[in-house]
């Protein structure tokens, strides 16, 4: 299915009304509104498994919501299976293949796009009377949850790629936290900061963030997807070489922490000592990561958000707005109706929203947004990131560009350039050759 560039007018107005207005749905945030239908406690006891990844703040809030559900359905026990990001994707794919997956699971968008092509793994939520999808923006569901006419998953939140800035540290280091960065100005500021103090770097990163930077540069240079839906490339060798040359210069100048150090914290950048010890002021990341990054800093540290880097002559903003993650119910669940009912409560209930707040960025359901705002559980910095993302949204990533095998090619070449093992011309040649071969292979599998 073709995904549209939903620059977000419908979703933006829905979010802005809830977030800027600070409005309430007329219900107390502590009111657990779904008290009807306690069928499970009157009949058989049901045990459901719920799997997700995240940081400690997400774990704590999700566990608290699970505990609250006991008051709604005393006969249902939710077994929590949670961890960090590293290794989660492989676990989920292995479990789905072996029919041992959790009943309810958190997924990343690229995995869902791949998995829906490989099998009928997920319940069609649209066909389930227990699931209420009326509060979601229909365009958001169509772009990210619908596959072959089925609602395979629902967004957990609205997520925007942004700069997460430790403003307290940026001010101390004379880094302009109000700047709208271009690639040139970022390179110069990072070079100056590291030259003044070699222990300081401007940007927190891991190889996934560097890949995102390279993909963003290509979109901005061309106004196209870097890999297109017809399995062709959306860029030239010149485009790729210019992007890799910028990365090489940035690494050599100390704009980023060396990848050999930063990648020790791949998927858990909030645990990087350089961030915790306030030696890096800016983290390019998705808005949903902000709570984890903020929690590890000293109390009173001011953390703000800003637009990501946009080239001054950009043909597309490259600003990524997408679901934080997605929730799906396994087709192999022995208790589909109960799993769907729990997921509907988790996404729609104001009491659940007041507990969960912004641990998966801004909730995608209007009533949940309102309840979280009323409860004071949405950080203003996350609100800002999402508003900026919606108003500057770039191209929607297609399934081919998000394919894990395609992304791994970029990952590998980014690492070679970062370690100085490949120059810009070599990297561009390798990227084009490797992608051309892989895309033919993927197309032949269709």
């Amino acid at each position: 299915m073709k995904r549209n560039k939903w620059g977000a007018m419908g979703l933006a107005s829905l979010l802005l009304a809830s977030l800027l207005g600070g409005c309430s749905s007329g219900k107390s945030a502590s009111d657990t509104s779904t008290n009807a239908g306690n069928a499970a406690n009157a009949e058989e006891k049901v045990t459901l498994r719920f799997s997700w990844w995240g940081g400690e703040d997400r774990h704590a809030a999700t566990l608290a919501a699970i505990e609250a559900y006991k008051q709604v359905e005393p006969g249902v026990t939710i077994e929590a299976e949670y961890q960090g990001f590293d290794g989660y994707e492989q676990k989920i794919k292995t479990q789905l293949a072996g029919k041992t997956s959790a009943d309810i699971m958190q997924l990343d968008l690229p995995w869902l796009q791949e998995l829906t092509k490989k099998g009928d793994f997920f319940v069609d939520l649209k066909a389930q009377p227990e699931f209420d999808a009326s509060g979601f923006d229909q365009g958001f569901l169509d772009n990210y949850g619908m596959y072959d006419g089925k609602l395979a998953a629902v967004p957990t939140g609205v997520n925007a790629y942004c700069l997460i800035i430790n403003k307290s540290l940026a001010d101390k280091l004379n880094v302009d936290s109000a700047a709208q960065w271009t690639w040139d100005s970022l390179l110069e500021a990072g070079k100056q900061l590291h030259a003044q103090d070699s222990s300081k770097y401007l940007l927190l990163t891991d190889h996934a963030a560097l890949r995102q930077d390279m993909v963003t540069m290509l979109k901005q240079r061309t106004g196209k997807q870097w890999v297109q839906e017809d399995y062709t490339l959306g860029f030239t060798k010149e485009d790729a070489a210019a992007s890799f040359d910028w990365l090489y210069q940035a690494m050599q100048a100390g704009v980023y922490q060396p990848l050999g150090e930063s990648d020790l914290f791949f998927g858990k950048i909030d645990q990087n000592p350089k961030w915790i010890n306030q030696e890096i002021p800016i983290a390019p990341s998705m808005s949903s990561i902000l709570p984890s990054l903020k929690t590890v800093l000293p109390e009173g540290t001011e953390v703000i958000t800003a637009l990501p880097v946009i080239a001054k002559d950009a043909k597309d903003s490259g600003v990524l707005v997408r679901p934080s993650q997605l929730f799906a119910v396994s087709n192999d669940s022995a208790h589909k109706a109960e799993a769907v009912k729990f997921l509907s409560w988790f996404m729609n209930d104001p009491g659940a929203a007041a507990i969960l707040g912004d641990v998966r960025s801004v909730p995608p359901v209007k009533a949940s947004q309102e309840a979280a705002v009323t409860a004071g559980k949405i950080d203003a910095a996350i609100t800002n990131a999402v508003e900026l993302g919606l108003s500057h949204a770039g191209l929607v990533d297609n399934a081919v560009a998000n394919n894990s095998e395609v992304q791994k090619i970029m990952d590998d070449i980014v690492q070679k350039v970062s370690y100085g093992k490949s120059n810009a011309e070599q990297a561009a040649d390798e990227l084009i050759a490797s992608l051309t071969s892989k895309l033919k292979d993927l197309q032949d599998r269709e």
Side-chain angles (χ1 to χ4, degrees), residues 213-231:
D213 283 349
M214 294 299 97
V215 169
T216 298
M217 280 191 200
L218 292 175
K219 288 181 183 178
Q220 291 175 356
R221 286 182 65 89
T222 65
K224 302 176 184 178
Q225 290 283 0
W226 71 296
V227 172
Q228 306 204 76
E229 288 184 302
D230 62 359
Y231 296 88

Side-chain angles (χ1 to χ4, degrees), residues 1-6 113 117 138-149 225 228-230 395-400:
M1 170 182 179
K2 185 167 180 158
R3 312 283 148 176
N4 298 318
K5 178 177 177 177
W6 59 284
Q113 291 169 326
K117 289 186 175 183
Q138 190 58 51
F140 204 40
L141 288 184
D142 288 345
N143 268 329
Y144 297 110
M146 295 293 294
Y147 293 85
D148 297 324
Q225 290 283 0
Q228 306 204 76
E229 288 184 302
D230 62 359
L395 293 165
V396 175
D397 286 339
N398 63 60
V400 185

Side-chain angles (χ1 to χ4, degrees), residues 135-213:
F136 290 83
D137 178 80
Q138 190 58 51
F140 204 40
L141 288 184
D142 288 345
N143 268 329
Y144 297 110
M146 295 293 294
Y147 293 85
D148 297 324
K150 297 179 181 180
L151 184 57
V154 291
T156 67
V158 184
N159 213 6
Y161 198 75
C162 62
L163 299 181
I164 299 173
I165 304 171
N166 179 339
K167 186 177 186 301
S168 300
L169 176 60
D171 290 348
K172 182 180 176 181
L173 298 175
N174 293 317
V175 172
D176 185 0
S177 60
Q180 172 51 61
W181 297 99
T182 66
W183 298 107
D184 291 340
S185 65
L186 193 78
L187 179 62
E188 186 58 32
K191 185 187 301 184
Q192 289 180 8
L193 177 63
H194 190 64
Q196 291 166 4
D197 183 343
S198 62
S199 70
K200 302 293 191 299
Y201 302 94
L202 186 62
L203 299 178
L204 186 67
T205 194
D206 59 18
H207 70 261
L210 293 178
R211 182 222 309 144
Q212 182 62 47
D213 283 349

